[in-house]
Amino acid sequence: MSQLQPYVDCKVSVVMNDGRLVVGILRGLDQTTNIIMQSCQERIFSEDEAVEVVDLGLYMIRGDNIALIGLIDEAVDAALDLDSLRGEPLQPVKH
């Protein structure tokens, strides 16, 4: 059994190897950590502008493109003011 199985049906944050950050509900995964997420949003950070949120809907991510998966505290996430957040975009993973 995967260590991610307890995260199914929970809101998670996924950082991909290319530096993108996707937030959504984890709906399923397989033995190679390919994941299916529902109600996904990509959050695009900038040092000069507010966080841009792009709705993605249902989204599948290949396991070899995933750098990090973490649970999100929904109360804390709902309290975030994305309009006032600024941050340097993540750089792609270098092998």
Side-chain angles (χ1 to χ4, degrees):
M1 182 170 113
S2 170
Q3 292 180 356
L4 294 176
Q5 197 63 42
Y7 292 10
V8 172
D9 296 328
C10 296
K11 191 171 187 178
V12 296
S13 175
V14 178
V15 177
M16 292 190 269
N17 291 337
D18 61 4
R20 290 184 290 163
L21 172 67
V22 178
V23 175
I25 307 297
L26 180 64
R27 289 297 179 202
L29 61 141
D30 66 10
Q31 67 276 9
T32 57
T33 319
N34 297 317
I35 63 173
I36 298 174
M37 297 176 65
Q38 181 180 18
S39 304
C40 280
Q41 296 179 328
E42 181 178 357
R43 295 182 181 174
I44 303 169
F45 290 83
S46 168
E47 293 180 23
D48 305 319
E49 299 176 17
V51 176
E52 180 182 353
V53 178
V54 178
D55 288 323
L56 302 173
L58 189 65
Y59 207 65
M60 181 179 168
I61 305 173
R62 287 180 46 121
D64 59 355
N65 289 331
I66 297 172
L68 177 78
I69 300 176
L71 282 175
I72 288 186
D73 183 327
E74 293 191 47
V76 172
D77 189 57
L80 286 176
D81 180 11
L82 295 177
D83 291 331
S84 67
L85 284 179
R86 305 288 186 268
E88 185 175 336
L90 293 174
Q91 298 301 310
V93 172
K94 295 180 182 178
H95 297 280

